[in-house]
Amino acid sequence: MSLDKIIIKCSAPCICGIKPGNMFTVKRESYSRVAVESWRESLKSNGLVLETFETSDNTMMIFIYNFIWIRQMLEDCFAQSYLRGKNYPVNRGTLAVLNELFGRLKKHQEFPHEVGLFLGYPIEDVIEFEKNQGQDCKYCGCWKSYSNPELAKKSLGNFLDCSKMCQKWFEEGLTVPQIIKKYKIVTEKVA
């Protein structure tokens, strides 16, 4: 599968504005700096940021996120307290917090499970995941839900539907801005 198809499949919910971020890995042979730069520019013009990190000799991690949505999430005092307890520089602003997260992702040590906040998972589930070491959840979809399995099920359905639509439109030749516009039109009709 081409990098373009992987990005659409794995990050459509963020691209379409129903999730603050998506993170996924790609095998080195699928990774293309030229394609990444093209995506970076296309996403930037739509208010999104694309970061890449080496995770091993064979894989690269791609993290696509909506900076404004992340900034708003970081204004929540509960999120600030949680991240402060993990030694994030919450008093220095969004960029400092993101840079700290990126540094932790690059270190290849213990995975920073707090990344779930940046991906839009409920803070209660992120905390419970750590506390229970990923065990005994009520529902497992995009994330392990401990607090509201119905929300997790509904979110998974929305994310999968979004991804399928976007993949179809991308294969039909639509650009990212066209996909975003079409997704908004389709979902407004349904709502």
Side-chain angles (χ1 to χ4, degrees):
M1 184 180 295
S2 73
L3 183 62
D4 292 336
K5 288 181 180 180
I6 293 169
I7 289 175
I8 283 291
K9 178 181 178 184
C10 296
S11 64
C14 178
I15 290 170
C16 289
I18 62 172
K19 198 169 182 288
N22 282 103
M23 186 172 69
F24 51 95
T25 58
V26 295
K27 296 204 179 294
R28 175 104 33 213
E29 60 264 15
S30 296
Y31 184 83
S32 159
R33 286 186 194 273
V34 173
V36 164
E37 287 308 313
S38 175
W39 273 99
R40 188 172 275 133
E41 286 305 308
S42 176
L43 293 171
K44 183 179 179 181
S45 67
N46 288 284
L48 302 170
V49 181
L50 184 150
E51 298 286 345
T52 61
F53 314 100
E54 268 189 42
T55 56
S56 72
D57 291 339
N58 302 352
T59 60
M60 295 290 290
M61 181 178 295
I62 297 177
F63 183 35
I64 296 173
Y65 63 95
N66 180 311
F67 184 86
I68 293 170
W69 196 340
I70 299 290
R71 185 180 67 211
Q72 290 170 343
M73 181 270 302
L74 291 173
E75 291 173 358
D76 177 77
C77 61
F78 195 39
Q80 287 180 11
S81 176
Y82 170 73
L83 291 171
R84 191 177 294 112
K86 294 190 160 295
N87 297 316
Y88 277 80
V90 294
N91 296 335
R92 293 197 347 240
T94 305
L95 198 53
V97 171
L98 285 167
N99 285 333
E100 178 67 26
L101 175 66
F102 301 153
R104 293 178 187 204
L105 288 167
K106 290 176 186 178
K107 285 184 181 175
H108 308 294
Q109 294 173 350
E110 186 175 321
F111 189 80
H113 294 293
E114 61 273 12
V115 75
L117 286 180
F118 300 87
L119 301 176
Y121 306 156
I123 192 167
E124 299 86 359
D125 290 338
V126 174
I127 291 168
E128 287 298 313
F129 179 88
E130 289 178 322
K131 180 180 167 186
N132 294 294
Q133 298 178 340
Q135 302 298 310
D136 303 322
C137 66
K138 294 178 182 176
Y139 178 75
C140 183
C142 291
W143 72 89
K144 291 191 175 184
S145 176
Y146 296 85
S147 62
N148 188 341
E150 292 309 312
L151 171 67
K153 287 176 190 174
K154 183 178 179 185
S155 295
L156 175 61
N158 290 340
F159 299 158
L160 291 174
D161 289 346
C162 175
S163 184
K164 286 177 189 172
M165 282 188 266
C166 292
Q167 288 176 74
K168 178 181 175 286
W169 296 331
F170 186 76
E171 288 172 10
E172 291 172 357
L174 270 66
T175 64
V176 170
Q178 291 169 328
I179 288 171
I180 292 168
K181 184 176 181 179
K182 189 168 186 170
Y183 182 81
K184 288 180 181 175
I185 291 168
V186 167
T187 54
E188 285 174 2
K189 286 181 183 177
V190 174

